[in-house]
Amino acid sequence: MNAHPPSPKFSAPLEQGGPPSPQDRPARLTVGVVGAGRVGPALAASLQLAGHRPVAVSGVSDASVRRAAELLPDVPLVTPAEVLARADLVLLTVPDDALADLVRGLAETGAVRPGQLLVHTSGRYGTAVLDPATRAGALPLALHPAMTFTGTSVDVQRLAGCSFGVTAPEELRMAAEALVIEMGGEPEWIAESARPLYHAALAIGANYLVTLVAQSMELLREAGVGAPDRMLGPLLGAALDNALRSGDAALTGPVARGDAGTVAAHVAELRRHAPGSVAGYLAMARTTADRALAHGLLKPELAEDLLGVLAGPAPDATDAPDAAEGPGPDAPGDDTPEDDTPHPDDNGPTGGDR
């Protein structure tokens, strides 16, 4: 990668005589957003609180336009090329699969300006995905907030203390860390080669947790629990806190104890009431058993019967509810959640909204 000169935007010293107001601090940047999904407007609003000035935003859906109006009032909605023409710092907040084509298109059309800070927020990628823009003179940064976003002003508050996965050329490291700190975050350096593993780890810990919790609430409703969220709240809070503090040592439950009979009863009930959940239960139980064995929590003499139960087949068509009765409340089907993140625009290097 080509060497980048240090950006003068981050080199001015603070004035003496007390802390300046955000607008009076040195190194203020004009900020643009390409992709007004849930992430970009929140980050731009956070930078605005630090004294930077949002000047342009682009979006491809009605939801994006509303989001930009709420979080960045009076900031004009323009094309991606115009965003780059107006801004010193450009946030590329589009879906992962749209990012490479967006960057390539912007570079090929001459939209990228030398010395411009180009920031993407994808967890999957480091700065290599920005190479076409880097060759055009852009200064590449990868700043991924490890947080889920709602697309509302609540996100700006939640950025306080949020960890950011940061990847940048060494000569831009101070600039990257400064931006994260100004947004209230905590920079965590991630090597370019480690970005896919880093992102997979976050997906396991956060995305799949949502799936597990939602599935658990469905099963509790099936069991007659009127307020499954109230029941799960304290349990999940304690489990998460213990796991973060103690790792595998926090593990409890029938798998860790080697209660093969209890686990077999679970599987039987799930096959009867929610066959679509059996495969996930068995996969998580096997992984849990492996980790419990490796850390000395599951006694080897109890593991054989347990692993025999977990080796059972995944559900097949015979496990489904009788068609004459109709699908039950937990029957498998089209449970894909509504996707309110617009898909990339096919008309040139505009990108979708992250």
Side-chain angles (χ1 to χ4, degrees):
M1 181 174 292
N2 296 331
H4 305 287
S7 172
K9 294 286 185 180
F10 293 89
S11 59
L14 289 172
E15 298 290 338
Q16 299 297 317
S21 67
Q23 290 74 21
D24 294 333
R25 293 174 189 159
R28 299 303 86 189
L29 300 168
T30 53
V31 178
V33 179
V34 176
R38 299 182 183 186
V39 178
L43 297 187
S46 182
L47 288 169
Q48 185 173 37
L49 291 176
H52 300 289
R53 185 165 62 93
V55 294
V57 60
S58 72
V60 297
S61 70
D62 292 341
S64 299
V65 173
R66 291 194 301 270
R67 203 174 287 122
E70 292 170 4
L71 291 175
L72 301 171
D74 302 322
V75 175
L77 195 71
V78 299
T79 65
E82 185 62 23
V83 172
L84 270 71
R86 299 186 184 193
D88 302 317
L89 165 64
V90 178
L91 300 172
L92 302 179
T93 51
V94 300
D96 291 354
D97 288 350
L99 182 58
D101 287 342
L102 170 65
V103 174
R104 189 180 306 111
L106 292 171
E108 290 176 352
T109 56
V112 178
R113 294 186 286 112
Q116 188 169 49
L117 284 164
L118 214 55
V119 178
H120 78 71
T121 58
S122 167
R124 171 185 173 187
Y125 294 111
T127 57
V129 71
L130 299 175
D131 279 352
T134 303
R135 289 191 290 270
L139 307 179
L141 305 177
L143 308 180
H144 174 247
M147 188 182 87
T148 58
F149 286 76
T150 65
T152 68
S153 59
V154 171
D155 298 330
V156 180
Q157 303 168 23
R158 288 178 175 172
L159 284 171
C162 169
S163 291
F164 279 67
V166 176
T167 304
E170 185 60 35
E171 59 271 19
L172 294 176
R173 181 166 183 160
M174 289 184 63
E177 293 179 347
L179 286 172
V180 170
I181 291 169
E182 286 195 314
M183 287 186 283
E186 297 287 341
E188 187 72 37
W189 199 253
I190 308 295
E192 179 84 24
S193 60
R195 292 290 290 208
L197 179 60
Y198 153 80
H199 198 219
L202 294 180
I204 291 172
N207 302 149
Y208 304 151
L209 175 62
V210 173
T211 301
L212 291 173
V213 173
Q215 190 174 70
S216 178
M217 288 197 295
E218 289 176 354
L219 294 172
L220 286 172
R221 290 190 190 96
E222 176 75 4
V225 175
D229 54 340
R230 187 170 65 233
M231 175 173 283
L232 283 175
L235 176 64
L236 294 176
L240 178 59
D241 183 65
N242 291 341
L244 291 174
R245 291 173 183 271
S246 305
D248 288 289
L251 187 63
T252 62
V255 171
R257 294 191 299 265
D259 290 343
T262 298
V263 173
H266 289 178
V267 173
E269 284 300 293
L270 291 175
R271 288 185 185 280
R272 177 184 173 195
H273 294 283
S277 67
V278 174
Y281 180 95
L282 290 173
M284 288 301 300
R286 289 166 187 152
T287 300
T288 301
D290 289 342
R291 297 187 69 88
L293 270 171
H295 289 82
L297 301 173
L298 174 60
K299 297 178 180 178
E301 60 270 23
L302 298 177
E304 185 174 355
D305 288 344
L306 175 65
L307 294 176
V309 171
L310 298 179
D316 55 29
T318 61
D319 295 311
D322 192 320
E325 299 177 1
D330 291 304
D334 184 9
D335 57 359
T336 303
E338 181 180 351
D339 181 4
D340 60 0
T341 302
H343 294 285
D345 188 348
D346 293 329
N347 299 319
T350 58
D353 305 322
R354 186 174 181 81

